[in-house]
RNA sequence: AGGCGCAUAGCUCAGGGGGAGAGCGCUACCUUGACACGGUAGAAGUCGGCAGUUCAAAUCUGCCUGUGCCUACCA
């Protein structure tokens, strides 16, 4: 351990060090979870990133918070499982591979289903590990030996088990309904997968439909005129006087020349537009419902690609956009287009490819969601699962209460194929856990499997237990389910959290997690969403390369206040990089001064200096704060407390105060005591900081001299606990006075523009003999830190001539300036101070002369105000004296 | 249309009924035996507006203004 100081460079260089320790942790199996091992379980499942994903700041924040918890809980002695993995991300992944094919001029149908899926797996082999490696760069301490993928064999088995058992319970059904159709992805989407966007350039077209009997016409409005080709009725409200006569009559649908009825339905709002609505059951959800009520014909005029079909007559083959234009033109020519209005409305887009969604009638699979939602709702209401911050519970309730059946079938190839077969001989449908060989009805072997796959979120919904081996009954499940906490962003509260709640309760009969911690979004420095098009994306990997993972981690932690978005800027990260460097240099300083030190040295029985008692007290308080904060997911409070303590107490004051003891060579007991306190304090700071900044803490910790009891890695050390024995409030009070006096001298120095190199004399006096006596013990320290030549502390001391005066903590501090400075400057300084004090004094005076205040305020508040009054009036008096003295000196 | 937030120093934010805080930035001085990615000191805010509750409001309540998001979707 010789030449320790040489091992640490002047500036911390994270690059090499981070890779080194991450490898070390993995080799020592520090992340591995053992269900057979001791310790109360603490478990989390990672929100599985898409295999197509590339690490962004949202991932970084999400995984950082989990990593802080995992590392903290390990240090607390818990048996920690952090389960990692990736999501197969059906549509997103399929799109990526389709794009590759497109580059070769091929479509997926050109290669066929089997070959295509092979290609997807191949792609996943090649690049699916990207995001996992990026998570490792961040320092994520997942148990990688357990990494899962939603398309794994085991997870696929879980998916099939759940599908079949839900089907058997009657909770899965198949039917023709209006769903959200993406004409580009060629698939149905769930309601959640549609993103609505406001279109300001929308139009509302009025169409005139002549009555079939020639007795007039009726005007309807639409934002999608091309759908009129599939109209099978016009609806009005039955109580609408304007149309009463027309109900039951027919109109002649223009362009198509079909006769369609006018029906009465409460769905129609008489106040809106003309009060009459065209009804297209095959292309609008509400119209579909109206159609069912009135047994209307259903005419599809569009195909799966968004092209008009044969039912659209002469318009067949046109795209929906071209058809719209043509229909408008043709209606205008017929003079059946009385008005076109500008109209602002919301249009649904595919969340994967942004194509405009078409409400489309088709045969799909649905999960009957009400029975599942009821349990998931009750579990949160009864507190089995807590959502933090709590205000998200309301959002959760609101959604769960208004939930609609979940369309789970997708017409894509990449995903879990629905385990349903159709007998080509007798038409029977078979839903089974095992692939059937023959039809149980007719024994025919001519079976055709359903081609649809399941919504990706169906398998993600099983994640908390499917990753632990369900439906087998595994040791992992027994030990770690339900998980302790789920850490996630609110953007997938419904997509994922809600589904896991429903599936967990359904399959495990128990909630999947005790806590759900919802964190904020990461935005840019002006609170804007980060996006490629805005060019304001901060790439976590570039940041890690530039500033180190610890700097990024500390920054995110420090700004992760509950319920508030994180506005991130590079300047801030570089600020916290400076903090990492500060810690690094405090460690260098420590190492330089404990070369001859035995780390087994104990504090017990040794006499501690005031600053030592104080720093131990403060460290103890900080420890309590950090523990309380981390237990309540207040990551920013933990980070702030550690920053404040490490920089502004440990470095700024304690290290300076302990230098004389460390540098001297006469009193060896004093020196080794100083070394012991220094060593132990730094070691404890490292353990406290480890969950947030694991790399730099490990590097320093490994370089420190080790005691026999220390484990191999800081990861395996115990998290510090607050200890009442170390509490020392008297030391804290005395130290506050010492610091106040030193600051007062520095203030005079600064305001007088005296250079730090200029040694000064000082005299401190005050009426409180006890306080003076206490302060006298710190004479040497004050001389040292305040850079004085001599210091007199005496309650009987007189003000030296030609001196500047300061007031702090009930003391008067005089610094003789003997022509060193311009007294006009000192005069101005005192005048400023007097003005400030007078303002403060009058505020306190007002309070104390208010009878109501005296009558109603609690006694301790009144006492405090009275104390303040006394202190301030004394201060005023002293200030006035000082000013007078100064005037005499300068003769003004 | 409903719901949830937010408005505090130039910037980004913490705090949350009894003396306005932090980081960055800014100004001045300083290479003092760890750190200039540093040290010391300083300037800077009627805590969005208007009412109310209270002895006391940045903090609680109501309204207003601005701003962000979520859910639903209206032809």
């Amino acid at each position: 351990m010789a030449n320790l100081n040489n091992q640490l460079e002047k500036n911390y260089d994270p690059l090499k060090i981070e890779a080194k320790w991450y490898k070390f942790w993995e080799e020592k199996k520090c992340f591995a979870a053992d269900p057979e091992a001791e310790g109360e379980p603490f478990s989390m499942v990672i929100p599985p990133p898409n295999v197509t994903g590339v690490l962004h700041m949202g991932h970084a924040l999400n995984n950082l918070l989990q990593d802080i918890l995992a590392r903290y809980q390990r240090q607390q002695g818990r048996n920690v499982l952090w389960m990692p993995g990736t999501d197969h991300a059906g549509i997103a992944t399929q799109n990526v591979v389709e794009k590759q094919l497109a580059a070769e001029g091929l479509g997926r149908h050109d290669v066929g289903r089997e070959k295509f899926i092979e290609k997807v797996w191949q792609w996943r082999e090649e690049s699916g590990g990207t995001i996992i490696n990026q998570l490792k760069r961040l320092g994520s301490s997942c148990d990688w030996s357990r990494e899962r993928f939603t398309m794994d064999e085991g997870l696929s088995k879980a998916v099939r088990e759940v599908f079949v058992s839900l089907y058997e319970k009657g909770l899965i059904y198949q039917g023709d309904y209006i769903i959200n159709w993406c004409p580009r992805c060629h698939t149905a989407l769930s309601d959640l997968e549609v993103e609505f966007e406001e279109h300001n350039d929308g139009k509302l077209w009025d169409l005139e439909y002549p009555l079939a009997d020639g007795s007039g016409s009726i005007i309807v409005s639409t934002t999608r005129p091309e759908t009129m080709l599939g109209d099978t009725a016009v609806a009005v409200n039955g109580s609408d006087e304007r149309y009463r006569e027309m109900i039951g009559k027919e109109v002649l649908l223009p362009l198509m020349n079909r006769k369609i009825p006018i029906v009465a339905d409460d769905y129609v709002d008489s106040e809106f537009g003309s009060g009459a609505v065209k009804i297209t059951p095959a292309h609008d959800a509400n119209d579909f419902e109206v159609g069912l009520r009135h047994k209307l014909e259903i005419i599809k005029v569009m195909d799966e690609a968004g092209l008009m079909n044969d039912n659209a007559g002469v318009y067949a083959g046109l795209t929906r956009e071209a058809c719209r234009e043509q229909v408008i033109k043709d209606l205008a020519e017929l003079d059946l287009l009385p008005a076109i209005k500008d109209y602002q409305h919301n249009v649904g887009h595919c969340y994967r490819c942004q194509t405009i969604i078409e409400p489309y009638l088709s045969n799909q699979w649905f999960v009957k969601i009400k029975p599942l939602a009821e349990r998931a709702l009750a579990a949160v209401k009864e507190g089995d699962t807590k959502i933090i911050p709590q205000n998200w519970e309301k959002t959760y309730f609101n959604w769960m209460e208004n939930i609609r059946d979940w369309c789970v079938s997708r017409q894509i190839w990449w995903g879990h194929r629905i385990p349903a077969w159709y007998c080509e001989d007798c038409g029977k449908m078979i839903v089974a856990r095992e692939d059937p060989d023959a039809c149980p009805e007719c024994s025919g072997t001519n079976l055709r499997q359903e081609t649809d796959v399941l919504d990706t979120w169906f398998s993600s919904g099983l994640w908390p237990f499917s990753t632990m081996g369900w439906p087998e009954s595994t040791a992992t499940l027994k030990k770690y389910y339900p998980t302790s906490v789920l850490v996630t962003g609110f953007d997938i509260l419904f997509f994922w959290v809600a589904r896991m709640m429903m599936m967990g309760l359904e399959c495990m009969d128990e909630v999947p997690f005790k806590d759900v911690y919802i964190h904020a979004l990461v935005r840019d420095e002006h609170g804007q969403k980060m996006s490629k098009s805005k060019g304001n994306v901060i790439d976590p990997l570039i940041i890690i390369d530039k500033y180190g993972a610890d700097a990024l981690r500390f920054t995110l932690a420090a700004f992760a206040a509950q319920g508030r978005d994180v506005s991130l800027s590079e300047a801030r990260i570089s600020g916290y990089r400076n903090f990492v460097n500060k810690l690094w240099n405090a460690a260098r300083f420590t190492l330089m001064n404990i070369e001859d030190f035995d780390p087994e040295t104990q504090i017990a029985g040794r006499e501690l200096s005031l600053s030592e008692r104080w720093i131990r007290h403060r460290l103890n308080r900080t420890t309590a704060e950090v523990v309380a904060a981390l237990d309540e997911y207040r990551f920013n409070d933990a980070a702030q407390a550690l920053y404040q303590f490490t920089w502004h107490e440990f470095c700024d004051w304690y290290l300076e105060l302990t230098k004389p003891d460390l540098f001297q060579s006469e009193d060896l007991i004093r020196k080794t005591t100083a070394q012991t306190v220094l060593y132990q304090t730094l070691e404890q700071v490292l353990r406290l900081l480890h969950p947030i900044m694991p790399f730099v803490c490990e590097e320093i910790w490994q370089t420190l001299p080790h005691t026999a009891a220390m484990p191999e890695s800081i990861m395996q050390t115990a998290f510090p606990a607050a200890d009442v024995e170390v509490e020392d409030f008297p030391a804290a009070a005395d130290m506050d006075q010492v610091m106040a006096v030193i600051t007062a001298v520095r203030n005079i120095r600064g305001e007088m523009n005296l250079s730090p190199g200029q040694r000064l004399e000082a005299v401190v006096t005050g009426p409180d003999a006890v306080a003076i006596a206490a302060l006298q013990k710190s004479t040497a320290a004050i001389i040292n830190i305040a850079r004085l030549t001599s210091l007199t502390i005496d309650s009987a001391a007189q003000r030296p001539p030609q001196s500047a005066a300061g007031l702090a903590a009930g003391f008067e501090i005089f610094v003789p300036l003997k022509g060193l400075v311009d007294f006009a400057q000192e005069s101005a300084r005192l005048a400023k101070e007097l003005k400030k004090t007078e303002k403060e004094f009058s505020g306190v005076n007002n309070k104390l002369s208010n009878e109501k205040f005296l009558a109603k305020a609690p006694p301790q508040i009144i006492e405090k105000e009275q104390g303040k009054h006394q202190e301030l009036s004394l201060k005023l008096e002293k200030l006035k004296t000082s000013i007078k003295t100064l005037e005499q000196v300068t003769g003004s």
Side-chain angles (χ1 to χ4, degrees):
Chain A
M1 283 287 167
N3 291 324
L4 287 169
N5 50 323
N6 294 336
Q7 293 182 9
L8 298 190
E9 314 250 334
K10 192 167 162 185
N11 279 338
Y12 173 62
D13 176 16
L15 269 182
K16 271 186 285 177
I17 284 162
E18 291 179 356
K20 176 178 72 179
W21 293 117
Y22 199 86
K23 196 169 157 235
F24 176 80
W25 294 326
E26 282 203 293
E27 280 169 6
K28 298 288 177 187
K29 302 203 185 313
C30 289
F31 307 156
D34 178 3
E36 309 297 339
E38 285 182 8
E40 204 189 317
F42 179 90
S43 54
M44 296 181 292
V45 290
I46 204 170
N50 292 351
V51 278
T52 55
V54 174
L55 192 79
H56 57 64
M57 275 299 170
H59 293 123
L61 174 66
N62 176 256
N63 284 279
L64 164 66
L65 299 184
Q66 292 175 81
D67 195 50
I68 290 173
L69 291 175
R71 288 173 182 275
Y72 169 66
Q73 295 294 354
R74 281 189 201 101
Q75 283 182 284
Q76 289 287 16
R78 303 281 288 272
N79 183 330
V80 173
L81 165 63
W82 184 12
M83 177 75 76
T86 49
D87 191 283
H88 69 279
I91 300 174
T93 309
Q94 172 153 331
N95 284 354
V96 169
V97 177
E98 278 187 320
K99 250 181 217 160
Q100 284 186 334
L101 283 179
E104 301 165 34
L106 295 170
R108 66 165 147 143
H109 292 275
D110 296 325
V111 294
R113 184 167 189 142
E114 244 172 76
K115 270 264 181 310
F116 182 80
I117 289 175
E118 244 173 65
K119 276 199 177 295
V120 180
W121 277 108
Q122 195 187 331
W123 178 86
R124 191 244 170 189
E125 288 307 311
E126 286 161 12
S127 50
T130 306
I131 191 144
I132 295 297
N133 289 325
Q134 292 172 333
L135 290 174
K136 291 180 180 181
R137 282 294 309 281
L138 188 70
S140 308
S141 61
C142 306
D143 183 354
W144 298 110
S145 70
R146 294 172 180 271
E147 187 186 332
R148 296 289 187 276
F149 180 50
T150 46
M151 286 288 282
D152 278 353
E153 203 184 325
L155 272 64
S156 300
K157 195 177 163 194
V159 166
R160 191 180 269 205
E161 172 61 34
V162 173
F163 186 90
V164 175
S165 82
L166 286 177
Y167 180 78
E168 285 168 353
K169 286 183 186 174
L171 293 177
I172 281 186
Y173 65 92
Q174 195 183 18
D176 290 313
Y177 294 93
I178 297 276
I179 42 80
N180 307 294
W181 184 265
C182 174
R184 202 220 60 86
C185 298
H186 283 255
T187 183
L189 297 173
S190 72
D191 294 339
L192 277 179
E193 289 167 314
V194 179
E195 288 173 354
F196 283 90
E197 197 180 292
E198 201 161 87
H199 281 211
N200 295 317
D201 54 350
K203 294 264 189 285
L204 188 63
W205 286 273
D206 280 357
L207 316 182
E208 187 172 349
Y209 289 0
L211 291 176
D213 61 9
S215 64
S217 67
I218 193 163
I219 289 173
V220 296
S221 302
T222 181
T223 54
R224 295 186 300 150
E226 68 281 8
T227 62
M228 64 84 65
L229 302 174
D231 282 3
T232 55
V234 169
V236 296
N237 194 299
S239 60
D240 192 334
E241 297 296 336
R242 291 173 294 178
Y243 298 113
R244 187 152 289 176
E245 295 299 308
M246 294 187 187
I247 295 168
K249 287 189 174 180
E250 287 181 319
V251 298
L252 188 66
L253 186 64
L255 307 181
M256 301 306 285
N257 293 317
R258 265 191 286 115
K259 282 185 186 171
I260 59 175
I262 297 172
V263 299
D265 199 287
D266 288 344
Y267 154 69
V268 180
D269 174 8
S270 310
E271 306 293 314
F272 189 91
S274 64
V277 185
K278 60 188 274 309
I279 299 297
T280 324
H283 294 282
D284 182 277
N286 288 313
D287 291 6
F288 180 74
E289 297 294 328
V290 174
L292 286 183
R293 284 197 285 276
H294 298 276
K295 299 193 170 55
L296 298 174
E297 200 186 341
I298 297 172
I299 302 175
K300 273 197 198 183
V301 292
M302 222 176 275
D303 69 7
E304 295 183 351
L307 297 176
M308 307 313 289
N309 64 16
D310 291 345
N311 292 332
V314 297
Y315 302 96
L318 291 179
T319 64
R320 48 187 173 161
E321 293 82 9
C323 178
R324 176 176 297 181
E325 246 172 75
Q326 195 57 47
V327 164
I328 293 299
K329 212 173 135 195
D330 293 348
L331 284 172
E333 262 170 37
L334 293 170
D335 210 15
L336 293 175
L337 197 66
I340 305 171
K341 294 163 211 153
D342 286 331
Y343 191 64
Q344 199 183 71
H345 65 141
N346 292 328
V347 178
H349 295 254
C350 172
Y351 84 138
R352 283 297 169 215
C353 71
Q354 301 307 316
T355 303
I356 293 177
I357 288 302
E358 203 60 42
Y360 192 70
L361 179 72
S362 76
N363 190 266
Q364 301 290 341
W365 294 84
F366 296 85
V367 173
K368 208 167 167 182
I369 210 81
K370 279 262 151 58
L372 299 174
E374 272 164 23
R375 288 189 73 185
L377 197 57
V380 174
K381 285 210 160 133
E382 282 159 23
D384 298 339
T385 294
K386 258 184 7 198
I387 299 181
I388 301 151
Q390 206 186 352
N391 40 325
W392 286 106
E393 283 185 1
K394 198 166 175 177
T395 310
Y396 174 87
F397 292 150
N398 205 293
W399 190 75
M400 278 289 188
E401 281 159 3
N402 298 299
I403 196 165
R404 292 187 5 192
D405 282 355
W406 176 14
C407 175
V408 290
S409 45
R410 297 289 180 275
Q411 289 64 49
I412 57 174
W413 288 348
W414 177 238
H416 300 102
R417 201 157 165 186
I418 288 176
W421 288 262
Y422 305 94
C423 176
E424 300 279 38
D425 299 328
C426 70
K428 160 101 182 156
M429 184 177 77
I430 308 142
V431 172
R433 287 176 178 80
E434 302 297 330
D435 292 11
D437 297 323
C439 173
E441 196 82 8
C442 69
S443 301
T445 55
N446 204 2
L447 301 178
R448 172 176 57 85
Q449 189 179 354
E450 170 65 62
T451 52
D452 289 0
V453 301
L454 286 166
D455 181 3
T456 300
W457 298 99
F458 192 94
S459 55
S460 325
L462 316 180
W463 189 249
F465 48 93
S466 65
T467 52
M468 294 192 194
W470 190 90
E472 310 300 325
S473 171
T474 63
T476 301
L477 267 177
K478 277 185 203 133
K479 179 82 177 178
Y480 300 111
Y481 190 95
T483 62
S484 310
V485 57
L486 178 83
V487 178
T488 186
F490 60 80
D491 48 331
I492 50 176
L493 182 61
F494 306 134
F495 271 117
W496 192 48
V497 181
R499 266 86 178 254
M500 283 191 289
M501 285 294 290
M502 294 190 276
M503 293 299 204
L505 285 161
E506 171 66 21
C507 300
M508 297 293 295
D509 210 28
E510 211 176 344
V511 292
F513 12 77
K514 290 170 203 144
D515 287 353
V516 175
Y517 179 71
I518 308 255
H519 64 248
L521 238 54
V522 183
R523 299 170 172 281
D524 79 358
E525 59 193 308
H526 301 296
Q528 299 285 309
K529 225 173 185 167
M530 286 189 191
S531 72
K532 277 182 197 160
S533 56
K534 281 187 206 146
N536 60 350
V537 174
I538 303 179
D539 182 339
L541 293 158
I542 293 172
I543 293 295
I544 290 172
D545 285 341
K546 203 163 161 190
Y547 300 102
D550 288 326
L552 174 63
R553 291 173 63 109
F554 203 93
T555 309
L556 289 173
F559 283 88
Q562 280 187 12
R564 187 131 186 177
D565 287 348
V566 178
S567 297
L568 194 70
S569 72
E570 199 169 323
R572 202 156 302 163
I573 297 161
S574 87
Y576 284 106
R577 184 271 319 271
N578 296 352
F579 175 64
V580 178
N581 197 53
K582 188 74 179 177
L583 175 69
W584 180 255
N585 276 288
R588 281 182 69 221
F589 172 79
T590 303
L591 287 163
M592 285 174 189
N593 288 288
I594 57 170
E595 284 186 11
D596 52 350
F597 169 73
D598 174 8
E600 303 283 358
T601 311
Q602 296 299 306
I603 294 279
R606 286 168 179 268
E607 197 184 330
L608 299 182
S609 71
L610 175 63
S611 59
E612 287 163 351
R613 286 166 58 203
W614 168 78
I615 199 68
R616 283 164 55 80
H617 169 84
R618 287 298 310 143
L619 175 62
N620 195 53
R621 304 291 292 175
T622 303
T623 300
E625 276 179 63
V626 171
V627 168
L630 289 181
D631 283 343
E632 293 168 24
Y633 309 106
R634 289 184 287 112
F635 301 94
N636 60 321
D637 288 339
Q640 288 298 338
L642 284 163
Y643 184 96
Q644 173 65 26
F645 175 81
T646 305
W647 198 312
H648 298 303
E649 295 182 311
F650 181 68
C651 290
D652 285 354
W653 286 100
Y654 167 71
L655 289 187
E656 295 306 322
L657 287 162
T658 199
K659 276 177 181 173
D661 286 344
L662 293 169
F663 295 161
Q664 57 96 15
S665 56
E666 284 176 14
D667 184 348
L668 286 180
I669 304 255
R670 182 84 286 279
K671 182 173 176 178
T672 49
T673 302
Q675 287 175 320
T676 309
V677 173
L678 173 62
Y679 169 78
Q680 292 187 357
T681 303
L682 176 64
E683 200 270 341
Q684 183 164 334
V685 167
L686 294 174
R687 280 185 284 136
L688 287 168
L689 279 168
H690 160 256
I692 307 181
M693 307 203 300
F695 295 106
V696 68
C697 289
E698 180 79 283
E699 173 72 9
I700 297 170
W701 190 86
Q702 293 285 353
T703 317
L704 285 178
H706 275 41
T707 65
M710 282 178 165
E712 277 187 294
S713 163
I714 195 171
M715 279 195 71
Q716 298 155 337
T717 61
F719 201 78
D723 179 2
V724 281
E725 294 290 307
V726 184
E727 272 184 7
D728 194 338
F729 288 97
D734 286 351
M735 189 65 196
D736 281 346
Q737 303 217 305
V738 171
M739 292 192 291
V741 168
I742 291 169
T743 303
V745 175
R746 284 172 170 171
N747 174 266
I748 291 169
R749 192 192 286 279
E751 296 279 290
M752 294 296 110
N753 276 332
L754 294 170
S755 98
Q758 178 76 55
R759 290 271 172 177
L760 303 168
E761 278 175 55
V763 175
V764 177
T765 183
D768 185 342
V770 179
I772 287 288
L775 193 66
Q776 277 170 344
K777 292 185 187 158
S778 297
T779 302
I782 298 170
I783 287 175
N784 178 42
I785 304 295
R787 304 186 72 76
L788 302 175
T789 49
S790 69
L791 172 64
T792 308
I793 302 173
D794 188 343
S795 52
Q798 293 298 306
R799 174 179 186 145
Q802 300 198 13
S803 58
L807 291 152
F811 300 112
E812 268 190 287
I813 298 106
F814 300 113
V815 177
L817 297 173
K818 303 176 233 170
L820 285 174
V821 297
D822 175 6
F823 278 84
Q825 219 173 347
E826 167 67 353
S827 180
R829 189 181 71 86
L830 290 174
K832 193 174 78 178
E833 178 97 20
L834 180 68
K835 204 175 154 193
K836 203 174 117 193
T837 310
E838 274 172 341
K839 199 178 152 196
E840 246 180 289
F841 184 71
S842 80
V844 175
N845 241 357
N846 284 343
K847 266 190 187 173
L848 286 173
S849 54
N850 185 342
E851 278 173 37
K852 285 180 179 171
F853 171 75
L854 294 172
K856 297 204 176 180
Q860 65 268 30
I861 296 292
I862 297 175
E863 214 173 290
K864 206 170 149 192
E865 291 296 321
Q866 282 167 341
K868 230 191 292 180
H869 181 268
Q870 206 179 346
E871 191 186 314
L872 286 172
S873 63
L874 191 74
K875 190 170 176 181
L876 276 178
E877 195 189 310
K878 298 288 182 193
L879 275 170
K880 283 174 186 163
T881 313
S882 293
I883 290 168
K884 212 190 246 170
T885 316
L886 200 62
E887 277 168 3
Q888 285 163 359
V889 168
T890 54
S892 56

